[in-house]
Amino acid sequence: MARPKLQDVATRAGVSVTTVSRVLNNRGYLSDEVRARVNAAIAELGYRPDGIARSLIGRKSGLVGVIVPTVADPFFGELVAAIENALAERGYKVLLCDCQENPEREAEYLDLLQANRVDGVITSTHNREVRGYDAAELPLVAVDRRIGPRVPIVRGDNAAGGRLATEHLLARGARRPLLVTATDHPGNDRARAYRDVVAAHGIEPRVRAYGYSTPADERRALIETWLAETGADAVFATDDLTALMALEWAHKTGRRVPDDVRIVGYDGSAAVRLGMPGLTTVRQPIARLGARAAELIVDRIADPDAPPAAEPPLPVELRLGWTS
Amino acid sequence: MARPKLQDVATRAGVSVTTVSRVLNNRGYLSDEVRARVNAAIAELGYRPDGIARSLIGRKSGLVGVIVPTVADPFFGELVAAIENALAERGYKVLLCDCQENPEREAEYLDLLQANRVDGVITSTHNREVRGYDAAELPLVAVDRRIGPRVPIVRGDNAAGGRLATEHLLARGARRPLLVTATDHPGNDRARAYRDVVAAHGIEPRVRAYGYSTPADERRALIETWLAETGADAVFATDDLTALMALEWAHKTGRRVPDDVRIVGYDGSAAVRLGMPGLTTVRQPIARLGARAAELIVDRIADPDAPPAAEPPLPVELRLGWTS
DNA sequence: CTGAAAGCGCTTACAG
DNA sequence: CTGAAAGCGCTTACAG
């Protein structure tokens, strides 16, 4: 038989569709007898309410769009897992938008999400020129990204993380620490902290930025060039994969780690902690970031006009390995 | 103003809703003049059709459920990215179901997906006792997992992969190669290949299985125990994270790699290739697995009753690093 | 070439 | 305590 509908249940239970709907939604008064009969009919038919029809009526679809650069990156994979988990607990489903690191797709996705009436969007990409977020009259939450004045930002304490990493490298004897990061713009608090710390120690900053959309191979080549040309005796990479590239370079070129070159990464995703527990890294509270973003978007969906409170950055932690 | 609806566009263009719908769907005859007027109205109003309403009418929602153990694992993250990408090209959206490695959630998700009228489901978990897949009259595609006779399986060539890895270790001089895998059941072609190859060389098999749901820390402890107790001079791990745990153990215990112990992993996700290019591993064609799964589910949605053709396993490739 | 009307599967005032 | 009817925003035969 085709999927049973409300009417089928009603017929079988000998009541009206209204009554069935009431039982389903547990609203209004119902005699126990009717309730029991309806529930029996539901069970017998294996009836399941059609979420689509429900969405069409209520204002909400129960869907939250999650836009990420790509879940192939363990940091974002773990973040999305946490978001999905927290949203599922609250009855929301995740429509995944994986931009494949491509800024154009982000704008398309935003459109698509609105067409599909998502109740809200969590975005965590770093494209700086995506239009459409202002126009979108959607509840929005950003993860570690500035969208606009009305969009709350969930993030780790980047300033503290940058400081921890840099101070640690200096404490371990580094005198020529190199910062490798995605972009070196003013909003990059990890870079700023690095600069502040080295300046306080009278050390000249060495900063290299590869840009978000640099393909992995190119990035690796760049990093290897930089490591060689700067004569760095330490590397602070603002993500773990980059740190691991530096580690690999050291291995290939016969440098001893940490004696010749100390290495600190950033993020501390479960995958990296599992696979490379030896990597010293600044561990972000990824699960908490995801959970908090989920909470916030649910709040904003409930009350879209509430002025966004400033989110205190979540604490990060230096995790020591043998690479430093 | 509230989100404009079809009626608003019709009023503005001075036509009926039927006509607007025709323009939108490009069906039936339309004078160029009307078409232009309608398009202008759409643009002026910033109208976007409501996907929910469309879904309610057509039989399809344009949604595909993707069930994974967790996207926090780089292999599944990359797989999901590939699936999402391929589905997006075909006009489908992904409803992400991250089971957090928890079998119970899989059954709940299956329910939820049906309630939300997804057009099909791609599943890639390895829970063996999940009920509901038979009852679900949904188009279904499995990735590297046996669900039932009518469900096509997309997978890499596990037998070839197991053979490549094991033969390679023996060729490098291993005489006591240890296989570390999730479960050692008859359907595990990687394990079977390992056994066949060592048997052909007159070597006694050493196999250890940790079970899918073993938490990371426990898994690490197990692996370290096994490595020590078996006196292995080589490890074939059927996933890269496990291989990296072995590598870490070697580092901690002062073993030289590959001289004292050779290590080969499995999967070769981009994250691992990026972060640990030195790891010898069997590289799965993750992007192709995802793309193929997407193709298949779209086909099955179009023709749910077509008998599933046997999918030839996709080729894998041994990637040499310095760990072997 | 264009429109009025029915209907997708539900929920929700409004009656009774 | 229960039901008939309208309506969510679209599409699609069916007329004209």
Side-chain angles (χ1 to χ4, degrees):
Chain A
M1 188 182 89
R3 173 180 183 137
K5 51 171 78 170
L6 202 62
Q7 181 60 252
D8 300 322
V9 177
T11 306
R12 179 154 197 135
V15 297
S16 72
V17 293
T18 309
T19 301
V20 180
S21 176
R22 282 215 190 79
V23 173
L24 247 25
N25 297 293
N26 205 14
R27 63 182 357 247
Y29 298 93
L30 294 158
S31 67
D32 287 350
E33 196 261 321
V34 164
R35 194 191 298 273
R37 227 163 57 212
V38 169
N39 279 325
I42 288 174
E44 285 160 22
L45 260 36
Y47 171 75
R48 215 180 334 232
D50 185 325
I52 301 277
R54 287 181 151 179
S55 307
L56 187 55
I57 293 173
R59 320 196 59 66
K60 46 171 305 210
S61 61
L63 250 31
V64 170
V66 176
I67 305 181
V68 291
T70 175
V71 286
D73 180 318
F75 172 77
F76 291 104
E78 191 173 340
L79 181 69
V80 168
I83 290 174
E84 200 270 0
N85 197 26
L87 284 176
E89 276 177 17
R90 292 168 176 75
Y92 285 89
K93 293 136 278 178
V94 166
L95 210 53
L96 178 66
C97 299
D98 190 299
C99 296
Q100 314 275 336
E101 321 261 16
N102 180 349
E104 289 165 35
R105 301 201 54 182
E106 183 167 0
E108 293 169 20
Y109 271 129
L110 204 53
D111 241 51
L112 179 119
L113 289 174
Q114 290 180 269
N116 284 278
R117 274 229 211 144
V118 295
D119 296 331
V121 172
I122 297 175
T123 178
S124 64
T125 58
H126 287 276
N127 307 316
R128 320 197 80 223
E129 354 45 13
V130 174
R131 318 238 161 264
Y133 281 108
D134 331 319
E137 287 174 21
L138 267 175
L140 221 54
V141 168
V143 177
D144 208 11
R145 169 185 188 191
R146 182 166 184 75
I147 300 277
R150 301 190 51 71
V151 179
I153 309 176
V154 176
R155 58 174 128 201
D157 192 338
N158 293 318
R163 216 178 309 118
L164 281 171
T166 312
E167 277 169 355
H168 170 70
L169 287 175
L170 297 183
R172 289 293 164 107
R175 286 301 163 263
R176 298 182 305 281
L178 170 67
L179 172 72
V180 182
T181 189
T183 61
D184 186 29
H185 65 269
N188 186 338
D189 289 337
R190 301 178 197 169
R192 181 201 303 262
Y194 162 89
R195 288 181 198 277
D196 289 351
V197 171
V198 296
H201 285 255
I203 290 177
E204 179 198 2
R206 296 151 200 255
V207 177
R208 296 292 185 280
Y210 48 79
Y212 286 113
S213 45
T214 313
D217 290 343
E218 246 174 79
R219 196 155 120 198
R220 178 185 300 283
L222 279 174
I223 287 161
E224 300 193 345
T225 310
W226 294 337
L227 283 166
E229 86 186 12
T230 56
D233 62 0
V235 182
F236 169 28
T238 59
D239 71 272
D240 288 335
L241 293 185
T242 302
L244 290 173
M245 286 183 185
L247 185 60
E248 180 66 18
W249 167 85
H251 186 274
K252 281 200 313 199
T253 59
R255 266 119 178 139
R256 288 165 307 159
V257 176
D259 302 319
D260 299 332
V261 53
R262 300 135 188 96
I263 299 175
V264 176
Y266 209 102
D267 286 345
S269 68
V272 168
R273 287 188 341 259
L274 224 62
M276 262 304 297
L279 178 68
T280 298
T281 188
V282 177
R283 182 170 173 186
Q284 296 215 69
I286 308 183
R288 287 185 63 194
L289 288 170
R292 185 63 187 138
E295 265 176 45
L296 275 179
I297 196 67
V298 170
D299 289 352
R300 292 195 75 71
I301 289 169
D303 185 3
D305 297 320
E311 278 290 303
L314 298 177
V316 298
E317 156 196 317
L318 186 68
R319 219 185 110 94
L320 298 181
W322 54 258
T323 61
S324 65
Chain B
M1 188 183 90
R3 173 179 182 137
K5 50 170 78 170
L6 202 62
Q7 181 61 63
D8 300 321
V9 178
T11 306
R12 178 156 196 131
V15 298
S16 72
V17 292
T18 309
T19 301
V20 179
S21 176
R22 283 215 190 79
V23 173
L24 247 25
N25 296 292
N26 206 11
R27 62 183 356 247
Y29 297 92
L30 295 158
S31 67
D32 286 349
E33 198 260 321
V34 164
R35 192 190 300 272
R37 228 162 58 212
V38 170
N39 279 325
I42 289 174
E44 284 159 23
L45 260 36
Y47 171 76
R48 219 183 328 240
D50 185 325
I52 301 277
R54 286 181 153 179
S55 307
L56 187 54
I57 293 174
R59 321 196 59 66
K60 47 171 306 211
S61 60
L63 249 31
V64 170
V66 176
I67 304 181
V68 291
T70 175
V71 287
D73 179 320
F75 172 77
F76 290 104
E78 191 173 341
L79 181 69
V80 168
I83 289 173
E84 200 269 2
N85 197 26
L87 284 176
E89 277 177 16
R90 292 169 176 76
Y92 284 90
K93 292 136 279 178
V94 167
L95 210 52
L96 178 66
C97 299
D98 190 300
C99 295
Q100 313 275 338
E101 322 260 16
N102 178 348
E104 288 165 34
R105 301 201 53 183
E106 183 167 359
E108 292 169 20
Y109 271 130
L110 204 53
D111 241 50
L112 179 118
L113 289 174
Q114 289 180 270
N116 283 278
R117 273 229 211 143
V118 296
D119 296 331
V121 172
I122 297 175
T123 179
S124 64
T125 59
H126 286 275
N127 307 317
R128 320 198 82 223
E129 356 41 17
V130 174
R131 318 237 161 265
Y133 280 109
D134 332 318
E137 287 174 21
L138 268 174
L140 221 54
V141 168
V143 177
D144 208 12
R145 169 185 187 192
R146 183 165 185 76
I147 300 278
R150 301 192 50 71
V151 178
I153 309 177
V154 176
R155 59 173 127 202
D157 192 337
N158 292 318
R163 216 178 308 116
L164 281 171
T166 312
E167 277 169 355
H168 171 70
L169 287 175
L170 298 183
R172 288 294 164 105
R175 286 302 163 262
R176 298 182 305 281
L178 170 67
L179 172 71
V180 181
T181 189
T183 61
D184 186 28
H185 65 269
N188 186 337
D189 289 337
R190 301 178 198 170
R192 181 201 303 264
Y194 162 89
R195 289 182 197 278
D196 290 351
V197 170
V198 296
H201 284 255
I203 290 177
E204 181 198 0
R206 294 152 202 257
V207 177
R208 296 292 186 282
Y210 48 79
Y212 285 112
S213 45
T214 313
D217 291 343
E218 246 174 79
R219 197 156 120 198
R220 178 186 301 282
L222 280 174
I223 288 161
E224 300 193 345
T225 310
W226 294 337
L227 283 166
E229 87 186 14
T230 57
D233 61 0
V235 181
F236 169 27
T238 60
D239 71 274
D240 287 335
L241 293 185
T242 302
L244 290 174
M245 286 183 185
L247 185 60
E248 180 65 19
W249 168 83
H251 186 274
K252 282 201 311 198
T253 59
R255 265 120 178 137
R256 289 164 308 160
V257 176
D259 301 319
D260 299 331
V261 54
R262 300 135 188 95
I263 298 175
V264 177
Y266 209 102
D267 285 345
S269 68
V272 169
R273 283 182 351 254
L274 224 62
M276 262 304 296
L279 178 67
T280 297
T281 188
V282 177
R283 182 170 172 185
Q284 294 215 69
I286 308 183
R288 288 184 62 193
L289 288 170
R292 185 64 187 138
E295 265 177 45
L296 275 179
I297 196 67
V298 170
D299 288 352
R300 290 196 76 72
I301 289 168
D303 185 3
D305 297 320
E311 278 288 306
L314 297 176
V316 298
E317 156 197 316
L318 186 69
R319 221 186 108 94
L320 298 181
W322 53 259
T323 61
S324 65

